[in-house]
Amino acid sequence: MRCQGWGVVFALLLVAGCGKESAPVARPPLGEAHREVVAQSNSLALKTYAGLRDEPGNLVVSPYGLSLSLTMLLSGADGPTRDELLTLLGTTAKQEPQLHVTQGELQRWLTGGGAGGEQLDVAAAIFIQRDTDVLREFLKLLETQYQSEAEVVDFANQPATARKVINDWAAEKSDGKIDTVVEPDDITAQTRVMLASAVYFKGAWEHAFERSGTKKQPFYIAAEESVDCELMHQTEEFGYVHQDGVRVLVMPYRGRELSMVVILPDEKDGLSAVEEQLDDETVASWIVAAEKNIVKLPVWLPRFKFESGHDLESTLVKLGITTAFDPTEADLSRIDGVRPTSAGAGRLYVDQIWQQALIEVNEEGTEAAAVTTIKSTETSTAPPDAPRFRADHPFLFLIRENANGLILFLGRVVDPSKAG
């Protein structure tokens, strides 16, 4: 039973969708420091996926959201807890101030407007127990770098009201797609702080599927077992490559600033073998090869919509984040100024890191949402050899920002007939 310390919650909300247009605004180029943050975020993406891939069924996570939340957590950490986060995020104590500046600039760059029909917004907030003293330096950093809104709530005496305030914020930032970030059991009398960040994306395919081309066809959930699904179809020019036992398709959204990448194993039961070889360098090489090879080919892709939730504590512990979850070792003193004591009483620690994600793909485009919570508690007719892409068996997908390769969402479809 965990009972040493006060509660802090980090929540991350991400949403992606289709069809809503924004005014074109040219984004300035990013520098080397920003590309390094992107590279570290993508590396964390594949490591996180590796920790989750043994879970059954469909899966979707938001690695950029997790990276952003962990960077915000870093700003309140000290001692060994800070060192572990610095290592995972690929930086040093000396470089940390610049990391927050760079993350903030990347956040603002992502929300700086698109060249076409894409919309991408990032927001942050902090919810504070009304009688909790939070260091001014901590609040100032979040406000300056992450444009974090601060709001006082009463977790201890009015938990239902506090929960509603936070869930209303989530609904607003996700265009109503996620309306529950915090469940009743997630708030206790010891909860003191919640940090939340939100990413919203809405975009339509550059080449939409005609609804008349969507037909009910088999999707092979195993080599000899299939389910019926709505399989969309079109023939268009896309980035495509066939190598290493996979077919990789790059499908841009309108405006071409973001794309969905679909990674389809050759074998109907080949997904697990592909998952075993996944790392950021391999995925990047596949995408580069596909982007250089623009071909006109028939594409079949299932319509799907599902939601998945993940407790990320065990995955992050395997990646070296251990003291943050330990009420006797955690050091989050840069949030409230309370230094660690031998007994650990009254100190903050991370009780839970949770991400809830949703994605929908249809003829018009893609819609996805994810919420991550970091909770602290007290203490065709073509020839057979012609290029074709028929996703009628389990595959991987990711949604990425094209200019810098930042992965926003990453997941797999093993059964498009299932909602979860």
Side-chain angles (χ1 to χ4, degrees):
M1 179 177 178
R2 293 178 173 178
C3 57
Q4 303 293 325
W6 296 108
V8 78
V9 176
F10 281 67
L12 171 68
L13 163 70
L14 296 101
V15 178
C18 61
K20 188 173 183 178
E21 298 191 4
S22 58
V25 179
R27 290 187 175 106
L30 287 175
E32 181 61 30
H34 308 91
R35 289 189 288 272
E36 290 178 1
V37 168
V38 169
Q40 289 297 331
S41 179
N42 288 352
S43 177
L44 178 61
L46 276 300
K47 292 175 182 177
T48 302
Y49 185 89
L52 298 173
R53 66 184 180 87
D54 289 337
E55 296 183 5
N58 300 323
L59 186 155
V60 58
V61 293
S62 177
Y64 169 63
L66 177 59
S67 176
L68 187 63
S69 282
L70 290 177
T71 307
M72 293 171 68
L73 178 60
L74 171 64
S75 69
D78 210 348
T81 303
R82 183 190 186 198
D83 293 340
E84 292 170 357
L85 287 164
L86 288 169
T87 299
L88 183 61
L89 294 169
T91 190
T92 65
K94 183 177 180 180
Q95 296 169 326
E96 185 195 340
Q98 183 59 45
L99 173 62
H100 294 299
V101 172
T102 303
Q103 275 280 26
E105 290 173 346
L106 177 60
Q107 174 184 332
R108 291 187 290 276
W109 185 89
L110 289 169
T111 62
E118 300 164 342
Q119 179 182 355
L120 188 60
D121 297 312
V122 182
I126 179 170
F127 303 93
I128 307 166
Q129 170 64 27
R130 67 179 183 183
D131 57 355
T132 298
D133 292 327
V134 177
L135 294 178
R136 180 174 300 179
E137 294 84 354
F138 175 72
L139 292 176
K140 185 65 175 179
L141 188 151
L142 294 182
E143 178 185 2
T144 301
Q145 304 304 338
Y146 302 100
Q147 290 75 57
S148 175
E149 309 163 10
E151 185 160 356
V152 175
V153 294
D154 193 345
F155 293 114
N157 301 303
Q158 297 180 325
T161 301
R163 190 170 67 249
K164 184 178 186 305
V165 169
I166 297 164
N167 288 337
D168 286 351
W169 181 88
E172 176 189 353
K173 299 304 179 182
S174 67
D175 197 29
K177 299 302 181 298
I178 296 179
D179 57 9
T180 304
V181 180
V182 183
E183 299 286 355
D185 291 344
D186 292 334
I187 293 178
T188 71
Q190 287 73 45
T191 303
R192 287 297 176 268
V193 180
M194 168 176 270
L195 289 172
S197 59
V199 179
Y200 178 85
F201 162 66
K202 196 166 190 178
W205 298 123
E206 182 178 60
H207 303 294
F209 292 84
E210 294 290 340
R211 287 189 176 271
S212 60
T214 301
K215 308 293 183 183
K216 185 166 288 189
Q217 300 188 51
F219 184 96
Y220 292 88
I221 59 176
E224 304 296 334
E225 183 181 359
S226 66
V227 297
D228 287 339
C229 76
E230 297 289 334
L231 208 61
M232 307 181 295
H233 172 64
Q234 66 168 294
T235 299
E236 231 345 310
E237 289 188 345
F238 295 107
Y240 168 83
V241 70
H242 184 194
Q243 65 182 51
D244 302 332
V246 298
R247 299 171 189 264
V248 180
L249 186 74
V250 180
M251 302 180 63
Y253 295 99
R254 189 181 306 159
R256 303 187 70 87
E257 291 197 343
L258 289 97
S259 294
M260 173 175 280
V261 178
V262 185
I263 301 171
L264 179 70
D266 285 347
E267 303 298 327
K268 287 184 171 61
D269 57 356
L271 180 62
S272 60
V274 173
E275 288 179 321
E276 289 178 0
Q277 62 178 307
L278 282 184
D279 58 50
D280 48 318
E281 291 184 1
T282 300
V283 171
S285 69
W286 287 344
I287 295 173
V288 168
E291 289 179 327
K292 291 180 178 178
N293 186 44
I294 306 300
V295 298
K296 188 170 186 177
L297 78 167
V299 171
W300 291 264
L301 188 70
R303 296 179 63 180
F304 60 89
K305 178 181 180 180
F306 62 84
E307 189 170 354
S308 62
H310 311 283
D311 185 340
L312 298 174
E313 177 177 345
S314 62
T315 296
L316 290 172
V317 167
K318 291 177 183 177
L319 295 176
I321 305 301
T322 59
T323 64
F325 299 102
D326 190 329
T328 66
E329 295 186 20
D331 187 346
L332 298 179
S333 57
R334 290 198 293 165
I335 293 178
D336 62 355
V338 177
R339 303 298 301 178
T341 64
S342 57
R347 62 201 284 187
L348 296 173
Y349 73 98
V350 176
D351 181 60
Q352 182 189 70
I353 298 183
W354 177 267
Q355 185 172 98
Q356 190 75 21
L358 175 148
I359 185 165
E360 179 178 8
V361 170
N362 57 34
E363 288 83 356
E364 289 78 30
T366 303
E367 182 166 17
V371 179
T372 307
T373 305
I374 305 180
K375 178 190 173 187
S376 305
T377 329
E378 190 179 22
T379 313
S380 129
T381 58
D385 58 343
R388 64 204 303 267
F389 193 93
R390 187 179 182 90
D392 64 352
H393 55 276
F395 59 87
L396 301 165
F397 67 87
L398 57 91
I399 298 174
R400 69 195 289 266
E401 186 276 318
N402 293 328
N404 305 283
L406 177 65
I407 299 173
L408 298 171
F409 290 89
L410 173 65
R412 70 180 178 219
V413 177
V414 300
D415 187 347
S417 70
K418 293 188 179 297

